[in-house]
Amino acid sequence: MPQGTLEVFLIKASGLENTDLLSKMDPYAILTCGTQEQKSSVAKGEGTEPEWNETFLFSICEGTSELNIKLMDKDCLTKDDFVGETLILLWPVFKNGHIEPYTYNVIKGDKYCGQMNIGLTFTPDEKYLFPREFSITWGEEEQYWQWTSIAESSSTSDEVVEVEVAELLAVCWLDVNGKLDISHLCPGGVEYEVVFVVKLKEEDEATGWEIPVNLRLVLPDGTTQEHQVCLEAMPRSQWLELRAGEFKTLPLPEKHHTDRHHHHHRKATGGDHHDEQQLQAEKAEIQFSLFEHGGHWKGGLVVKGVIVRPKK
């Protein structure tokens, strides 16, 4: 299941069933995505044709596959009335990244009772893997590699966090390998790139890099991407990105391309739950490597990690 941020643009509703007999309704929406719930403003006195034009953000995590929007009528003296709801399966926006405002049916029980106009945008998270997750030849041998911590600014707050990095002292056989199960990334053929983040130390410490290093990416079907990069002429004492390769995520099964006006029937029959389980069962792994096996001594390279991110 992909992880990232879902942006919901709640525009308006139309043709709603009026639950107030003597006056116009005061509709509002309750949006539920996974365990998260948010409410719109109350469209006071707008009756069966309310407009909101409001945006809501949800964090998408493992197991989140649908968005429920429930319409309510705000009452002052009695319990708020249920107007109707729509259930939106998120696979299409996970695949495409953006869905222009679309009209969804509002259902109450099995009865059609209006429409909602909603736009969706999904921004997948990038995946960061740290060196402790890698297999590094002689990585635990103190004469070849050392593990140190550096202070980094958090990407989500003003806090400073400690990040453990692997510093190459001297080896003649450079071999850094990692892997990632990509079945949890955004599905539907989304393009990702795999990038090593490294730093060369100062000139007197970073030596032996006149021989190019190899970068390799092995895809789930065994296809291999490999190329060489010469680090000798690259800047010192700053983080560098070395691209290992790129890939596309798993395509969505045809059964996910259903008419969104019939998703309530599929929900009732458990069809989409079965589809989701089948997708989760399909594991796909990539393998990435940074290596040089020529027997040439080298040192002064700091490995910070690997980024797997949507390709721009």
Side-chain angles (χ1 to χ4, degrees):
M1 192 67 61
Q3 300 181 27
T5 301
L6 176 69
E7 179 179 307
V8 182
F9 183 32
L10 176 64
I11 303 171
K12 63 181 180 179
S14 59
L16 300 179
E17 184 180 79
N18 194 351
T19 60
D20 286 345
L21 299 178
L22 303 177
S23 62
K24 288 188 175 181
M25 294 192 299
D26 301 319
Y28 66 94
I30 301 174
L31 298 86
T32 304
C33 190
T35 59
Q36 303 163 80
E37 182 177 287
Q38 299 187 51
K39 291 183 181 180
S40 74
S41 61
V42 177
K44 190 169 180 61
E46 295 190 19
T48 61
E49 307 288 326
E51 289 193 23
W52 294 280
N53 293 309
E54 296 177 4
T55 300
F56 304 86
L57 297 178
F58 293 93
S59 295
I60 300 299
C61 57
E62 188 70 20
T64 305
S65 61
E66 59 191 33
L67 169 70
N68 178 267
I69 303 180
K70 184 183 297 183
L71 293 182
M72 305 293 293
D73 173 25
K74 184 70 175 178
D75 290 326
C76 295
L77 301 178
T78 60
K79 184 179 178 181
D80 294 351
D81 296 318
F82 173 59
V83 178
E85 64 184 336
T86 188
L87 184 67
I88 302 173
L89 300 180
L90 297 177
W91 288 108
V93 72
F94 289 164
K95 174 188 176 183
N96 299 309
H98 179 73
I99 294 179
E100 292 292 334
Y102 183 88
T103 300
Y104 297 86
N105 289 343
V106 176
I107 305 296
K108 187 175 183 179
D110 293 327
K111 179 183 175 183
Y112 167 85
C113 57
Q115 297 178 326
M116 267 191 282
N117 196 236
I118 300 161
L120 300 171
T121 299
F122 178 68
T123 304
D125 288 341
E126 63 182 28
K127 180 74 173 176
Y128 204 103
L129 296 97
F130 295 98
R132 281 295 184 190
E133 302 175 68
F134 304 159
S135 172
I136 301 177
T137 300
W138 297 317
E140 300 303 322
E141 301 292 332
E142 294 182 357
Q143 67 267 40
Y144 301 124
W145 290 85
Q146 71 176 7
W147 294 85
T148 59
S149 294
I150 60 173
E152 288 279 305
S153 297
S154 172
S155 60
T156 57
S157 68
D158 295 330
E159 296 181 359
V160 175
V161 297
E162 293 289 321
V163 177
E164 190 177 34
V165 298
E167 181 180 337
L168 170 61
L169 301 179
V171 293
C172 61
W173 182 281
L174 175 65
D175 203 56
V176 180
N177 300 283
K179 58 186 178 180
L180 176 68
D181 176 10
I182 65 171
S183 64
H184 299 296
L185 298 179
C186 199
V190 175
E191 291 187 336
Y192 280 80
E193 62 181 355
V194 179
V195 178
F196 277 89
V197 181
V198 302
K199 180 186 347 185
L200 289 165
K201 302 192 77 173
E202 295 296 338
E203 292 287 349
D204 58 338
E205 296 180 274
T207 59
W209 300 107
E210 60 274 13
I211 303 298
V213 297
N214 303 281
L215 291 153
R216 177 193 295 152
L217 178 66
V218 181
L219 305 185
D221 64 358
T223 302
T224 299
Q225 301 172 25
E226 186 172 326
H227 64 281
Q228 292 187 325
V229 174
C230 186
L231 301 182
E232 179 64 25
M234 290 192 174
R236 264 53 175 174
S237 297
Q238 68 182 59
W239 293 114
L240 307 171
E241 293 191 353
L242 308 179
R243 190 177 65 85
E246 58 190 54
F247 65 92
K248 289 185 178 181
T249 53
L250 296 171
L252 285 174
E254 286 299 318
K255 62 185 72 178
H256 278 283
H257 299 283
T258 57
D259 183 348
R260 281 172 282 186
H261 288 298
H262 293 90
H263 61 255
H264 283 278
H265 171 70
R266 292 184 57 79
K267 180 66 175 178
T269 59
D272 287 295
H273 178 66
H274 173 75
D275 296 351
E276 182 181 324
Q277 287 181 321
Q278 181 175 347
L279 257 183
Q280 290 176 336
E282 296 178 5
K283 299 296 182 182
E285 188 175 84
I286 59 168
Q287 301 174 36
F288 44 84
S289 303
L290 169 65
F291 65 97
E292 199 284 307
H293 297 163
H296 184 79
W297 284 90
K298 58 195 72 66
L301 181 73
V302 182
V303 180
K304 184 180 179 182
V306 164
I307 302 173
V308 180
R309 65 191 177 199
K311 188 179 175 184
K312 297 180 181 179

